[in-house]
Amino acid sequence: MKLTALKIEQLPIVIDLTKKIWPVAYGEILSKEQLDYMIDKFYNETALREQIEVKGHVFYLAQDDNEKYVGFVSYELNSEPNKTKIHKIYVLPETQGTGLGRQFFELVKEKAIENHQKAIFLNVNKYNNAIHFYTKLGFTKVKDEVIDIGNSYVMDDYVMEVVI
């Protein structure tokens, strides 16, 4: 898989991928209403642009051998002192198991090490099967976190971390 840094004009690709990935990833965990609310709130062009331009999130896109976009990752250096946060790591369902998730993680790890970070952390829904994937990468659960996202919805997550 080819990983490339996202250009701001490629934000519609992230939005399109999200609309294909999220219903599969979260369809059994979240209601359709919450799913739609979260996509509308966090994956519109304005919100994504703010994540990049204001909050300093870095996005990478993945393309397969046919140059089809198949996933994305975003991370933030020093989200906490000397810690990098993976905000998003998503691949199309048909791409799961190909090593792309690991490839995304290794990219973030490389960038974190280059920037003298001591750990990488992320939030994952407590009922998401991705917990097993993160555990294989060396992440451990460090705390529970419930985040109010508005409209009477919460994100019920584990925070997982790996020391690098």
Side-chain angles (χ1 to χ4, degrees):
M1 301 283 180
K2 180 176 144 192
L3 307 185
T4 54
L6 175 119
K7 297 178 182 71
I8 205 82
E9 62 269 13
Q10 293 176 304
L11 287 176
I13 296 167
V14 171
I15 295 166
D16 181 60
L17 284 168
T18 300
K19 289 178 179 177
K20 292 175 180 168
I21 296 168
W22 271 47
V24 176
Y26 298 110
E28 294 182 9
I29 300 171
L30 305 175
S31 69
K32 180 177 180 341
E33 293 77 21
Q34 182 170 350
L35 202 61
D36 292 343
Y37 172 79
M38 291 177 72
I39 291 171
D40 290 343
K41 182 177 175 86
F42 301 120
Y43 287 90
N44 65 70
E45 211 160 319
T46 302
L48 291 168
R49 187 179 287 271
E50 179 182 324
Q51 290 166 31
I52 295 165
E53 295 175 346
V54 177
K55 297 179 179 175
H57 298 190
V58 178
F59 280 74
Y60 276 80
L61 290 169
Q63 287 177 288
D64 64 13
D65 294 339
N66 299 317
E67 298 192 4
K68 175 186 171 193
Y69 290 102
V70 294
F72 63 94
V73 65
S74 80
Y75 64 91
E76 177 185 4
L77 297 169
N78 292 306
S79 175
E80 291 182 5
N82 301 309
K83 292 184 180 183
T84 293
K85 181 171 188 177
I86 295 177
H87 287 283
K88 304 167 189 349
I89 185 166
Y90 293 108
V91 302
L92 288 173
E94 61 269 25
T95 309
Q96 289 180 357
T98 63
L100 177 56
R102 179 176 288 279
Q103 193 177 348
F104 274 144
F105 170 71
E106 292 299 333
L107 169 80
V108 173
K109 183 178 174 184
E110 178 184 310
K111 300 295 184 186
I113 290 168
E114 284 173 10
N115 287 278
H116 312 291
Q117 305 287 280
K118 301 210 179 320
I120 298 170
F121 71 102
L122 51 79
N123 283 53
V124 60
N125 183 290
K126 290 178 181 174
Y127 306 100
N128 190 329
N129 288 330
I131 291 169
H132 305 297
F133 167 71
Y134 298 129
T135 302
K136 277 196 246 177
L137 293 175
F139 283 84
T140 57
K141 296 173 193 166
V142 293
K143 67 179 178 179
D144 293 15
E145 192 168 64
V146 177
I147 303 163
D148 184 339
I149 57 171
N151 211 35
S152 300
Y153 296 123
V154 298
M155 293 191 308
D156 190 11
D157 292 349
Y158 292 122
V159 177
M160 298 184 77
E161 183 173 290
V162 62
V163 175
I164 53 174

